[in-house]
Amino acid sequence: MDICEAAIAEAKKSVAEDDRLHPHVGVVIVKDGKILATGYRGESGKGDHGEFCALKKLNEADVQGATVYTTLEPCSTRKPPKMPCTRRLIDSKVARVVYGMADKHESVYGHASLVEAGIEIGFSSNDLMQELLALNKEWSDSLRVKPIVPPNDTSPLANVSYYKLGPSMQDNIHLFVRPPKDAGGFYTIEDAAKNVLAHGRTLEEIAIEWHRIDDQKVIVEKLVRQSAGSSNRLLNFI
């Protein structure tokens, strides 16, 4: 069994933290031809990612310069105080990351983050990629389906304003996090015109979307936040 196959074997042990669809993720850390640690999603606790489960078994000196084999592109966004796997890999000073399949979620840009940090990227063989695609097909297909979510006519849980420099107020942007109207509905992030910019089933999901919009500054270029509150402070309830 080669290292990528060993990572897939770990992925098959994955434990979902709830009844939603989650990917099977397995990780193997190798240095100087020796396997140092393995991990899989949920191994050390509910929702723990595979990279975290493997890295926590080693000290910093062990991991530095190692190659990390993971079955899924490492995540780049997590709800604070949790740290994205790409950040953990970068901080651990790994030399190379080999992954089996890309994460199609629009908030994931792990590949780009690792490359920007100077970490070499490799890929599993095509045969193993196909095996992983089959293993994670149900989860992966669910990311293709984007339900049409109407705005919520509910009181906002949080809000933030972005202001452009200059006297005009016409281009200012105001965003609101609104809870679902009914059981089974979506939390939404809406603008002042009630356009739904993002949605999620849980507070954790909508918090990730909120921080993604804020951190990546994808709303409009060169905005300066001048409001007294900030999304980080206003979202302490999540």
Side-chain angles (χ1 to χ4, degrees), residues 4-218:
C4 291
E5 289 175 329
I8 293 176
E10 290 296 313
K12 292 177 180 178
K13 302 176 186 176
S14 294
V15 180
E17 58 267 31
D18 51 40
D19 58 1
R20 294 177 298 151
L21 292 172
H22 296 283
H24 293 78
V25 181
V27 177
V28 178
I29 301 176
V30 176
K31 187 175 181 180
D32 299 328
K34 179 182 178 182
I35 293 178
L36 301 182
T38 62
Y40 56 87
R41 184 185 179 100
E43 179 185 13
S44 59
K46 288 186 177 181
D48 286 350
H49 287 192
E51 294 91 337
F52 169 73
C53 294
L55 287 169
K56 69 182 296 187
K57 299 174 183 177
L58 302 171
N59 60 46
E60 185 175 331
D62 289 335
V63 179
Q64 187 171 347
T67 296
V68 176
Y69 294 81
T70 178
T71 55
L72 181 68
E73 178 185 5
C75 70
S76 51
T77 306
R78 295 214 73 182
K79 173 194 168 186
K82 291 183 178 180
M83 184 185 297
C85 293
T86 49
R87 184 75 262 160
R88 293 186 186 279
L89 294 168
I90 292 167
D91 290 348
S92 297
K93 297 181 174 61
V94 303
R96 187 167 182 250
V97 172
V98 178
Y99 68 87
M101 63 178 287
D103 191 327
K104 293 187 294 187
H105 197 285
E106 61 183 7
S107 69
V108 175
Y109 45 95
H111 181 116
S113 296
L114 294 171
V115 170
E116 288 173 359
I119 295 175
E120 182 184 347
I121 299 294
F123 302 97
S124 300
S125 68
N126 186 65
D127 288 347
L128 294 181
M129 285 184 184
Q130 295 304 314
E131 183 176 348
L132 282 169
L133 288 171
L135 178 64
N136 283 317
K137 185 178 188 306
E138 190 175 5
W139 167 77
S140 185
D141 286 350
S142 72
L143 299 180
R144 297 177 185 271
V145 180
K146 292 190 174 182
I148 298 174
V149 178
N152 287 319
D153 186 19
T154 54
S155 298
L157 297 174
N159 64 85
V160 68
S161 295
Y162 296 84
Y163 297 95
K164 274 189 174 180
L165 292 175
S168 174
M169 300 289 285
Q170 293 182 350
D171 294 325
N172 293 345
I173 292 178
H174 309 283
L175 300 183
F176 306 87
V177 176
R178 299 185 185 276
K181 290 186 289 188
D182 306 301
F186 290 92
Y187 291 85
T188 57
I189 298 175
E190 303 174 21
D191 62 17
K194 296 188 176 181
N195 295 308
V196 176
L197 306 181
H199 62 272
R201 286 288 188 189
T202 65
L203 283 173
E204 178 172 301
E205 288 179 359
I206 206 65
I208 290 172
E209 293 300 318
W210 180 271
H211 288 290
R212 176 182 66 82
I213 290 173
D214 190 45
D215 292 344
Q216 294 185 42
K217 302 183 187 302
V218 296

